[in-house]
Amino acid sequence: MRIDIPEGQEPIGYVWGDMVPGIGMAAANFSLSVYAHTTLGLREFEAARLRIAQINGCRFCLDWRTDRDGEKVEETFLDAVTDWRTTDAFDDRTRLAAEYAERYALDHHGLDEEFWGRMTAHYSQVEIVELSMSIGSWLAFGRLNHVLGLDSVCVLPTH
């Protein structure tokens, strides 16, 4: 870990909440809002989120599975995200979510008209904005956790 955490403090809570409360709490609220207010289906949501987790290398994010009313994606879903181009486990929306996440993170200048034609055929403008904001949140905060070494010491919460 690259940040000193006082004895007895939970690393993410301390860094996000106590160290820079004016910024950290706003960031935490944004991050939580992505989960609390999403209108996206669980599979496309998780495909984009997990693709960003893979790119970021955030261990906490890779281990996390979004739970919606007791429903989570299947155990093999992460492998399908890895193979998003060829997997038969994804419908068009889920595949596009993984593709968008990857291109958003690695080649946002390469999002061309052909891509946008496919996106707008499967997602509304509201869904595209929501997915874009969600991906931005995961990209920024997953990298923050990984760069500061927080993902190596975090324990997943139990619900």
Side-chain angles (χ1 to χ4, degrees):
M1 183 166 359
R2 293 171 183 87
I3 301 295
D4 295 328
I5 307 297
E7 188 71 31
Q9 291 284 334
E10 189 278 317
I12 284 186
Y14 177 74
V15 169
W16 285 60
D18 296 334
M19 288 189 83
V20 290
I23 299 170
M25 291 311 297
N29 287 333
F30 175 42
S31 180
L32 292 171
S33 291
V34 165
Y35 294 87
H37 302 291
T38 186
T39 64
L40 299 168
L42 180 61
R43 293 181 67 76
E44 59 250 21
F45 185 89
E46 283 292 89
R49 189 191 66 74
L50 285 167
R51 187 64 195 116
I52 292 297
Q54 290 171 333
I55 291 166
N56 282 344
C58 178
R59 287 180 261 173
F60 176 81
C61 304
L62 285 166
D63 288 342
W64 173 265
R65 293 298 175 274
T66 301
D67 183 325
R68 291 210 191 136
D69 300 321
E71 182 183 346
K72 294 183 180 184
V73 293
E74 64 274 13
E75 289 295 320
T76 58
F77 196 82
L78 182 59
D79 292 332
V81 170
T82 301
D83 299 325
W84 66 263
R85 288 173 183 83
T86 58
T87 185
D88 59 1
F90 288 178
D91 62 14
D92 290 339
R93 282 177 59 96
T94 306
R95 188 178 320 281
L96 272 167
E99 179 182 357
Y100 185 38
E102 180 176 301
R103 293 179 73 174
Y104 185 110
L106 301 176
D107 186 26
H108 62 286
H109 291 284
L111 293 168
D112 56 16
E113 291 306 314
E114 182 276 330
F115 171 80
W116 287 114
R118 290 186 290 116
M119 272 302 278
T120 58
H122 293 281
Y123 286 90
S124 71
Q125 289 185 353
V126 169
E127 290 172 320
I128 291 170
V129 171
E130 181 181 330
L131 187 56
S132 300
M133 287 184 175
S134 296
I135 291 169
S137 167
W138 300 319
L139 185 63
F141 302 138
R143 286 188 183 185
L144 179 144
N145 290 340
H146 183 73
V147 167
L148 297 181
L150 301 175
D151 64 331
S152 63
V153 296
C154 292
V155 177
L156 285 174
T158 56
H159 316 290

